[in-house]
Amino acid sequence: MGTLLRCALAAAAIIIVGVADAAPFRFANQGDALSMDPYMHNEGVLLSLTGNVYEGLTGRNRNFEVSPELATDWKQTAPTVWRFNLRRGVKFHDGSPFTADDVVFSFERARGEGSDIKVYVSTIKEVRKIDAHTVDIVTIDPFPILPQTVSFWYIVSKSWCEKNNATKPADVRKGADNYASTHANGTGPFMLKSREPGVRTVFVPNPQWWGQPEHNVTEAVFTPIGNDATRVAALISGEVDLIDPVPLQDVPRIQKNPNLKVVQAPEMRTIFLGMDQKRDELLFSSVKGKNPLKDVRVRRAFYQAIDVEAIRKRIMRDAATPAGLMVAPAVQGFDPALNKRLPYDVDAAKKLLADAGYPQGFEIGMHCSNDRYVNDAEICQAVAAMLAKIGVKVNLTAESKSLFFPKVIGRNVSFYLAGWTPVSQDSHNALFGLMATPSDGGQGQFNGGNYSNPKVDGLIKQIGIENDMVKRNGLIAEAFKIHQDDIGHIPLHQQPMTWGMRKNVELVQLPSNIFALKWTRQ
């Protein structure tokens, strides 16, 4: 539901045809959000679901352009200072007023202990209250894309968090929760009515919302349905109105149904493989006292053993776009000249392993989700089979994202599959979050393999402060080239967004795969 609701905004803006009758809306995703706390986990389904309840200072409109939300306007008053004028008359769902105090509190909560969204506020030094409806956001260095970056930093209520002992988000790595995990109090167009984790989540319209409603949803019911066949059957039978994703093999079947339709577009998400490049001995490997993945020849061997075209054709049914970069074409800084993969070459991969001292290969553990990305478990199974051809035995653990993500974020994996969408629509987001050397401030927060190169770190810092777009793109290309040569990660492809729905459902499908109920009609 999360990914579908907030996410149903459109990269190709589907024009909404007015429908007179309001109605409940039922939607399903292959997995549930891990929490209702938007700071607990930086993951698409959670951000999509909670994005119907909470809002940022900035947001995205139907064309995926940065637009005002809780701030009506903003400007730079100094190289490191942005002034945001806050929207007046806005109330949280409990009736309390939204003020600058909530923005200051939200910043401290977002960068504090247990927060998984530090990446969105990591460039900020402090948030100063000027008056009840004005704040200055002071960045550590000049940061020209700040309004883009903070659109997924949702603002929470200071008084509500204090009242309910939720001043800190529950740490996903520790499996903790608190009141905000199952309750919510935002300013957004929908309110949380009830929450049964893993079962159903119900939303109702916010009658006090500051904006003009464009939906006709009287109640929205989200249900996680992990089994592909069951999810499709629920759509066909009319049990739900929308499902995400449609299993690719079922697209023709749904398209032939006169009561249903499929909306499909490229997602701005890159699926990739990560590798532990820091530990002296891997957690899950037959090699003792040594980490084979520290050797670039081994990482290159893994890369060249993977037949991405076979994955595209057989598993993704020609719906994925093979990737040579860690960002998609829609992302600022994408360089077509660098978007080239190493050739698939089993013999070359075997020689690289032998040269690195592993002529017979070795065993390694691999972790993968089975309810987050399109055909994630199947992709991992295919990768395991391909690596077997060069003597690498992969012991695969495919599990629910509720178990998978804490391991990756905690860097307790040796080899894993994940995906990343730069929600700022800028390459700095992927470089900073995935490829920078991890630090406590949010840098490299999702760098599960601990890839580190001081030259890349230096370039990321320069990219953050550079205003000249030609120079900036040159710096981005330089950072990506170093990362490619290092085989810091192994990019695979951009996956498709494939939603199935009843014929009369009209919505918007954004490239971020964030689904908004506020633009949904039926």
Side-chain angles (χ1 to χ4, degrees):
M1 164 181 187
T3 303
L4 298 175
L5 292 185
R6 170 100 183 176
C7 206
L9 324 178
I14 301 171
I15 302 299
I16 293 181
V17 178
V19 182
D21 297 329
F25 183 76
R26 304 154 301 170
F27 58 111
N29 188 276
Q30 64 181 341
D32 197 4
L34 299 184
S35 175
M36 286 293 99
D37 187 337
Y39 296 6
M40 186 261 195
H41 190 32
N42 184 30
E43 186 260 343
V45 175
L46 185 150
L47 293 174
S48 187
L49 272 180
T50 59
N52 293 289
V53 175
Y54 292 97
E55 298 170 301
L57 297 177
T58 65
R60 294 279 177 167
N61 63 19
R62 297 180 185 214
N63 297 316
F64 203 57
E65 300 162 335
V66 176
S67 60
E69 279 199 348
L70 290 178
T72 56
D73 57 273
W74 50 87
K75 64 179 180 180
Q76 274 187 286
T77 58
T80 60
V81 180
W82 289 80
R83 176 154 294 184
F84 284 78
N85 293 310
L86 306 182
R87 194 176 296 277
R88 295 171 181 267
V90 175
K91 293 183 181 298
F92 285 97
H93 297 159
D94 66 356
S96 62
F98 158 69
T99 71
D101 292 328
D102 300 300
V103 180
V104 175
F105 171 80
S106 294
F107 168 62
E108 296 298 337
R109 191 176 191 268
R111 71 171 180 171
E113 180 183 347
S115 171
D116 199 43
I117 64 156
K118 293 178 182 177
V119 66
Y120 300 128
V121 298
S122 58
T123 59
I124 300 174
K125 180 180 180 181
E126 64 175 316
V127 177
R128 298 173 184 163
K129 175 183 175 180
I130 304 304
D131 58 40
H133 296 98
T134 312
V135 295
D136 278 353
I137 295 182
V138 183
T139 57
I140 299 168
D141 297 300
F143 192 62
I145 63 168
L146 180 73
Q148 295 170 237
T149 304
V150 298
S151 61
F152 277 85
W153 166 35
Y154 299 145
I155 304 302
V156 300
S157 165
K158 179 178 185 290
S159 61
W160 183 83
C161 288
E162 290 175 342
K163 176 183 176 182
N164 294 293
N165 297 315
T167 55
K168 296 179 181 178
D171 195 333
V172 65
R173 297 161 189 78
K174 300 176 181 177
D177 60 20
N178 60 24
Y179 189 81
S181 302
T182 53
H183 300 78
N185 182 44
T187 60
F190 283 81
M191 303 185 297
L192 179 65
K193 179 180 179 181
S194 63
R195 167 72 174 167
E196 298 175 71
V199 180
R200 72 200 301 259
T201 305
V202 182
F203 301 91
V204 293
N206 172 16
Q208 298 186 97
W209 186 48
W210 56 266
Q212 180 63 43
E214 299 178 47
H215 64 84
N216 66 347
V217 177
T218 57
E219 182 177 83
V221 181
F222 169 71
T223 306
I225 306 177
N227 182 273
D228 286 350
T230 304
R231 194 164 63 253
V232 172
L235 178 65
I236 293 174
S237 69
E239 182 182 345
V240 298
D241 303 307
L242 182 150
I243 63 171
D244 171 26
V246 174
L248 296 176
Q249 67 271 17
D250 290 309
V251 169
R253 178 186 175 196
I254 293 175
Q255 288 175 326
K256 291 177 182 178
N257 189 311
N259 300 315
L260 304 174
K261 64 183 177 182
V262 173
V263 176
Q264 186 177 69
E267 186 176 2
M268 204 171 60
R269 182 184 308 279
T270 299
I271 303 298
F272 62 87
L273 298 169
M275 300 158 284
D276 183 350
Q277 297 158 61
K278 183 176 182 180
R279 284 185 175 85
D280 293 329
E281 179 178 307
L282 291 176
L283 291 175
F284 310 98
S285 175
S286 61
V287 181
K288 302 304 177 185
K290 196 174 182 180
N291 179 353
L293 294 177
K294 281 190 173 185
D295 192 321
V296 68
R297 293 170 296 184
V298 174
R299 302 196 298 273
R300 185 178 292 269
F302 275 38
Y303 194 137
Q304 294 202 250
I306 296 170
D307 186 351
V308 76
E309 280 298 319
I311 292 173
R312 180 182 69 83
K313 292 177 182 178
R314 298 170 193 166
I315 297 175
M316 302 302 290
R317 297 182 177 253
D318 292 319
T321 303
L325 280 173
M326 293 287 285
V327 295
V331 177
Q332 170 62 38
F334 174 85
D335 187 345
L338 290 175
N339 193 38
K340 297 175 181 177
R341 295 184 55 81
L342 290 176
Y344 167 59
D345 191 329
V346 172
D347 290 337
K350 287 180 177 179
K351 184 177 186 305
L352 284 164
L353 275 187
D355 291 346
Y358 306 98
Q360 305 304 317
F362 54 88
E363 290 188 31
I364 189 170
M366 181 181 189
H367 287 80
C368 179
S369 59
N370 58 16
D371 59 357
R372 177 59 190 100
Y373 309 111
V374 178
N375 294 333
D376 40 11
E378 291 86 348
I379 294 170
C380 289
Q381 291 164 3
V383 168
M386 291 169 183
L387 291 180
K389 294 180 181 179
I390 64 171
V392 175
K393 180 183 178 182
V394 174
N395 298 311
L396 176 61
T397 299
E399 57 195 346
S400 170
K401 63 184 180 183
S402 63
L403 300 172
F404 168 74
F405 280 122
K407 294 174 183 174
V408 174
I409 297 169
R411 302 185 184 90
N412 293 315
V413 289
S414 296
F415 183 43
Y416 65 96
L417 178 138
W420 187 263
T421 301
V423 291
S424 64
Q425 205 175 5
D426 190 274
S427 291
H428 181 271
N429 175 269
L431 286 163
F432 189 88
L434 295 177
M435 291 166 261
T437 302
S439 72
D440 292 337
Q443 174 177 302
Q445 188 173 6
F446 305 98
N447 183 352
N450 270 299
Y451 166 75
S452 179
N453 187 312
K455 291 182 180 179
V456 172
D457 291 340
L459 287 165
I460 292 171
K461 186 174 179 64
Q462 292 180 60
I463 292 163
I465 65 176
E466 182 56 66
N467 277 301
D468 185 295
M469 292 308 294
V470 174
K471 291 181 180 178
R472 191 171 188 274
N473 286 339
L475 295 170
I476 291 171
E478 187 178 351
F480 279 149
K481 183 64 169 62
I482 294 171
H483 177 266
Q484 280 185 327
D485 291 344
D486 287 343
I487 317 294
H489 296 77
I490 302 174
L492 294 178
H493 59 244
Q494 278 88 45
Q495 67 180 22
M497 296 181 294
T498 309
W499 303 348
M501 64 199 77
R502 288 190 298 107
K503 207 82 168 183
N504 66 325
V505 173
E506 298 295 341
L507 44 74
V508 180
Q509 191 179 53
L510 290 181
S512 59
N513 205 19
I514 296 296
F515 176 62
L517 284 170
K518 66 181 179 181
W519 291 318
T520 301
R521 299 182 69 89
Q522 58 182 338

